Amino acid sequence: ALPIWDVQNKNVRDLLQQTYTVRNVDLDNNIPFNIDLLLVNQVKDSLSGTALFNLDQYIMSGRPVFIAQNAVDADLNRGSATRINNNLLDALKHYGLEVTAHLAVDRDASQISVETQRGIFRMRNAVDYPFLPLLKRFNRDNAVVAGLEQIRQFFTCVRVTPHESAPLAPSNSSTLLLT
């Protein structure tokens, strides 16, 4: 059986393959020029120096990258969260992105179903769970998000800290999608 995260990556890959050609890229080798978008998905361990260098070269060449990275590995089933410490999190700071281990909360968040034991009976109750923020307002002038009604994010912990030395600091014309 695959670990949970491998299953989730497989699900993302299966969905993307319905429309796009998807292949794995080894960051320890030069990233081929025929890659239209690089997806870096939830790195748990530190990358090698070569992998970080190749990723940086890809980003600095202006080619698109989507980084889905959290500083917390949260498990909803167990109700636990473990901090992720890797060098990718440090590297993202160079671009003006700080992924913190502080989970975002939302007072209008989603509900989850929780099972409790009452004597010999098991009960399922819906409870508010603030760690699943619900985004409802989007820039209608941006084609990427114009048609969206809402996005539910799971265990979000990103802070954008643009500074003058950040080569890719977000501007009004960019769209930042991080989980």
Side-chain angles (χ1 to χ4, degrees):
L2 293 171
I4 295 286
W5 190 248
D6 289 338
V7 170
Q8 291 171 343
N9 279 336
K10 183 181 179 325
N11 292 342
V12 169
R13 182 184 188 97
D14 290 347
L15 285 171
L16 289 173
Q17 282 180 325
Q18 293 175 12
T19 308
Y20 304 100
T21 301
V22 179
R23 66 179 176 158
N24 289 331
V25 173
D26 182 0
L27 291 178
D28 281 320
N29 296 310
N30 290 332
I31 300 169
F33 285 103
N34 63 349
I35 300 296
D36 295 322
L37 171 72
L38 183 65
L39 170 63
V40 180
N41 195 9
Q42 194 61 355
V43 176
K44 301 231 178 163
D45 297 319
S46 287
L47 300 173
S48 70
T50 302
L52 274 178
F53 176 79
N54 288 334
L55 178 60
D56 180 65
Q57 293 302 298
Y58 179 89
I59 291 170
M60 296 310 291
S61 73
R63 295 189 286 170
V65 62
F66 183 96
I67 299 176
Q69 181 64 44
N70 231 332
V72 175
D73 184 18
D75 185 340
L76 188 58
N77 293 328
R78 289 185 292 162
S80 66
T82 306
R83 185 182 200 129
I84 295 174
N85 289 312
N86 65 36
N87 57 0
L88 178 60
L89 295 170
D90 294 329
L92 290 175
K93 290 179 188 176
H94 171 73
Y95 303 110
L97 302 172
E98 181 180 1
V99 183
T100 67
H102 306 293
L103 294 172
V105 294
D106 181 2
R107 69 173 172 232
D108 297 323
S110 306
Q111 290 190 328
I112 61 170
S113 180
V114 175
E115 189 173 283
T116 57
Q117 185 85 29
R118 303 247 172 128
I120 61 169
F121 300 104
R122 290 193 150 168
M123 309 287 287
R124 291 189 92 44
N125 297 313
V127 296
D128 292 332
Y129 195 73
F131 297 111
L132 304 178
L134 190 60
L135 307 178
K136 297 178 185 175
R137 293 184 306 145
F138 302 96
N139 181 347
R140 298 295 175 207
D141 297 328
N142 186 311
V144 174
V145 295
L148 295 178
E149 291 181 23
Q150 63 185 22
I151 295 176
R152 181 180 331 270
Q153 294 200 306
F154 297 92
F155 307 106
T156 303
C157 55
V158 67
R159 178 186 315 160
V160 179
T161 54
H163 50 82
E164 289 182 23
S165 64
L168 300 178
S171 67
N172 290 335
S173 63
S174 64
T175 301
L176 182 65
L177 297 172
L178 294 176
T179 61

